Amino acid sequence: MLYVIDRWLGRICLAVSGVSIIVMALVAFVDSIGRKLGHPLYGGSEYVIFALLIFFFSSIPLVVRDDSHIRVGLFSDLYKRRLSRIEALFTSIMEVVALGFFTWMIFDQADRLERFGTLSVFFELPMAPFVFLAGIFCLIAIWFAVHNLWIVHRQPRPRPHAIPDDEDTDA
């Protein structure tokens, strides 16, 4: 059942991010042609801003799901198996905590924008629903992060230059 939920959440995020990047490309194309003809796309920058916001936040769950983060590990290739597992567990826990804090900040910002009635500049659209949507995508990212935390101990971690464990040297 969880795999079905994962698959559908991934498909939704993939579709939303794909549509938003296509919208950004089309707006940029139409605006650039329109500028050459003396008729720029009115509100084109605002279209791009909204599409970029949606693209960015709908892509975060996909990065978390696929564990495609950029990682910098100075000595992580040299870790023994146990230390490698501890490091993977620690980073997964910190990922869930950081995403939780980030999600809280996004929802807090959406609440503030709603309370103050903040509107976009050109179309005068309320900003809160867009930020609230970003918070929903952050919740989906937390879902995937918790799922990754649950399976982190089962994931093989190839360490080609690792210092062998004591039990590895006995063979």
Side-chain angles (χ1 to χ4, degrees):
M1 178 67 179
L2 292 179
Y3 295 109
V4 173
I5 294 171
D6 287 349
R7 186 174 41 217
W8 277 104
L9 288 176
R11 286 179 182 172
I12 289 168
C13 291
L14 193 62
V16 169
S17 65
V19 166
S20 62
I21 197 126
I22 289 170
V23 166
M24 277 191 291
L26 287 175
V27 166
F29 177 75
V30 168
D31 191 40
S32 64
I33 298 297
R35 286 181 189 275
K36 293 292 183 185
L37 299 174
H39 298 289
L41 182 64
Y42 294 112
S45 62
E46 203 160 289
Y47 286 124
V48 170
I49 288 170
F50 288 133
L52 184 61
L53 177 126
I54 292 170
F55 170 74
F56 178 78
F57 282 99
S58 64
S59 297
I60 290 175
L62 299 173
V63 170
V64 172
R65 179 196 65 185
D66 297 338
D67 201 21
S68 303
H69 304 70
I70 296 173
R71 289 191 173 86
V72 178
L74 298 176
F75 301 110
S76 60
D77 283 344
L78 300 176
Y79 292 166
K80 294 182 178 184
R81 278 196 189 114
R82 257 184 238 119
L83 186 56
S84 176
R85 287 185 180 154
I86 291 170
E87 183 252 350
L89 183 64
F90 176 76
T91 55
S92 293
I93 290 170
M94 291 308 296
E95 178 182 24
V96 171
V97 169
L99 279 171
F101 182 68
F102 185 61
T103 303
W104 173 78
M105 287 175 40
I106 295 294
F107 280 117
D108 183 56
Q109 185 65 29
D111 181 53
R112 289 178 191 197
L113 291 171
E114 180 68 33
R115 280 186 286 135
F116 296 132
T118 306
L119 302 175
S120 66
V121 175
F122 189 80
F123 294 117
E124 296 182 355
L125 295 172
M127 295 296 294
F130 291 98
V131 179
F132 184 73
L133 181 64
I136 290 172
F137 283 120
C138 288
L139 285 175
I140 295 171
I142 290 175
W143 169 271
F144 287 130
V146 169
H147 180 71
N148 287 345
L149 176 63
W150 185 258
I151 63 171
V152 73
H153 67 281
R154 288 185 270 155
Q155 294 174 338
R157 301 227 179 249
R159 304 287 184 194
H161 306 292
I163 298 169
D165 285 331
D166 293 335
E167 58 267 6
D168 291 341
T169 58
D170 294 337

